Amino acid sequence: MTVASAVQPTFAMPSPSDGQPRRGSDERALVVLAQEGSNEAFAALVQLHQRRAYAVCRAIVLTHEDAEDAVQEGFLHAFRALDRFLPDQPFGAWLYRIMANASLDLVRRRKVRDADELSESSPAPFRDPGEADELRRRLTEALTRLTGRQRSVIVLHDVEGFTHGEIGSMLGIPEGTARSDLHHARATLRRLLKDVRSDI
Amino acid sequence: MTTKLTMHNDDDDVTRGLRALYAAPVGEPYWNELEARIMARIAEVDLGWWAELDRWARPALLAAAVLVLAAGIAMFRARQVETQTAYEHILTPSPVPIETVIRPTLEGDREASLRDVVGHRDRSNGRP
């Protein structure tokens, strides 16, 4: 089987607007081809999943640049581990777990590096000098008051739409913990932003 | 219009703010370039003999497991046969009881010793 035959005629690339990977037999066919050594098929999988993979990484790391690094590392890990993937499993769930692990590794490395360079200096991940909007500024500040995991959970849930179970699986925490983190994150943001007024 | 901040709805202010903060880059060129960078790094991956090793790891492990199993069975059987032989050797009676077998060359000495012992006992009991 070739990539072309796997992809055509039913295979459709995600549109830029939705950015959601298509799932199903096409994807499975691509996975099988990639496992057989087709870089072209793996490239198609990258194309399918990179937006969502970026979103997962971005929810965990602190900056856009780190998210890019984590995405690349994640795909590299996935490529190396492809032999061990069973095609009957959902590829996305497997891939996003790898992405989350790559991101968490990167966060750990950053922490060690930051501790070495300047102990206890809080990173400024959300600083955007150009932002004028009050809500955006206050939200940025409020997010730094959450734990890294709470921030990841609220972004993965409220922004990316992952379920508690999916988040738990990605971050290696029980579903109940993800639910609890989400609750605490929302409560903290509500408390910190209660006096903010937003122009709509 | 100024409104109070809202939360918990799909389309609330905070969620909108979060979406804006965490928005992924837009535009196909960016994603095409990221894909190219990812594939370039993958092309650099020199799987080499590690990949070959990995490819052969499972069959090799399976073969090793079969060998270990076969060796284990062979050892078990050998031990079983050995044990069985030892039992049989103990349980099967010898054709001639060992204690009654006397070397013919010692037969005369035995008789003499027996006579001496019996005679000594008789003398002790006062018999002539």
Side-chain angles (χ1 to χ4, degrees):
Chain A
M1 186 164 46
T2 64
V3 176
S5 67
V7 171
Q8 298 294 336
T10 52
F11 178 71
M13 296 308 298
S15 66
S17 57
D18 65 9
Q20 301 293 315
R22 302 283 194 274
R23 293 181 172 83
S25 58
D26 299 330
E27 185 183 79
R28 239 193 312 276
L30 285 173
V31 170
V32 171
L33 282 170
Q35 284 179 321
E36 288 168 359
S38 165
N39 278 13
E40 206 185 345
F42 192 79
L45 288 170
V46 170
Q47 206 175 1
L48 275 173
H49 287 279
Q50 60 181 353
R51 287 173 176 80
R52 199 89 163 128
Y54 171 89
V56 169
C57 295
R58 184 66 188 86
I60 296 169
V61 301
L62 296 174
T63 64
H64 162 74
E65 290 75 19
D66 280 358
E68 275 189 341
D69 286 350
V71 168
Q72 291 178 57
E73 282 297 316
F75 273 115
L76 213 56
H77 289 315
F79 180 74
R80 286 186 172 128
L82 206 56
D83 276 355
R84 294 194 287 279
F85 173 72
L86 302 173
D88 290 341
Q89 298 173 330
F91 181 73
W94 179 79
L95 180 70
Y96 302 145
R97 231 177 359 253
I98 291 176
M99 291 296 164
N101 283 332
S103 306
L104 291 168
D105 278 349
L106 202 135
V107 168
R108 273 192 286 271
R109 286 205 302 274
R110 288 276 185 270
K111 269 185 188 164
V112 170
R113 195 195 64 182
D114 291 348
D116 285 346
E117 287 178 356
L118 268 175
S119 60
E120 298 302 316
S121 70
S122 62
F126 307 106
R127 295 277 181 264
D128 181 355
E131 69 189 9
D133 179 61
E134 169 75 356
L135 169 63
R136 190 180 169 96
R137 190 182 63 76
R138 292 289 302 274
L139 183 57
T140 298
E141 281 176 10
L143 282 166
T144 63
R145 306 284 288 275
L146 302 180
T147 66
R149 202 176 68 196
Q150 286 174 346
R151 186 171 44 77
S152 300
V153 170
I154 196 171
V155 174
L156 287 170
H157 188 276
D158 286 358
V159 178
E160 300 304 330
F162 285 104
T163 65
H164 297 105
E166 287 169 335
I167 294 168
S169 172
M170 276 190 275
L171 300 181
I173 55 175
E175 185 179 333
T177 306
R179 202 178 290 274
S180 160
D181 277 347
L182 179 64
H183 171 78
H184 288 298
R186 281 174 172 169
T188 304
L189 290 186
R190 190 167 57 232
R191 182 169 50 80
L192 294 171
L193 301 172
K194 65 184 176 191
D195 60 332
V196 176
R197 289 179 181 277
S198 169
D199 292 333
I200 298 179
Chain B
M1 184 177 75
T2 301
T3 59
K4 194 79 176 167
L5 188 74
T6 59
M7 278 194 78
H8 290 280
N9 301 316
D10 281 346
D11 207 19
D12 63 38
D13 292 345
V14 171
T15 305
R16 273 203 298 276
L18 283 171
R19 281 187 184 140
L21 280 177
Y22 286 88
V26 288
E28 279 305 294
Y30 171 81
W31 295 106
N32 290 340
E33 198 217 315
L34 182 63
E35 183 197 334
R37 266 189 284 165
I38 291 166
M39 292 314 293
R41 284 193 67 181
I42 281 167
E44 284 170 12
V45 175
D46 181 19
L47 295 175
W49 63 276
W50 280 109
E52 279 304 307
L53 196 68
D54 196 40
R55 199 186 305 277
W56 287 101
R58 273 181 220 172
L61 276 175
L62 195 67
V66 169
L67 276 176
V68 166
L69 193 69
I73 290 171
M75 279 179 68
F76 176 74
R77 282 196 179 158
R79 197 175 172 80
Q80 209 174 21
V81 167
E82 198 177 303
T83 309
Q84 187 67 27
T85 309
Y87 272 119
E88 281 172 3
H89 189 68
I90 291 167
L91 296 177
T92 309
S94 299
V96 182
I98 293 166
E99 61 275 14
T100 59
V101 174
I102 297 166
R103 274 185 9 219
T105 51
L106 297 176
E107 205 161 359
D109 292 348
R110 181 177 180 261
E111 288 297 319
S113 300
L114 195 62
R115 272 199 302 274
D116 186 52
V117 169
V118 170
H120 176 73
R121 204 170 57 188
D122 288 348
R123 276 195 301 279
S124 306
N125 291 339
R127 288 183 194 171

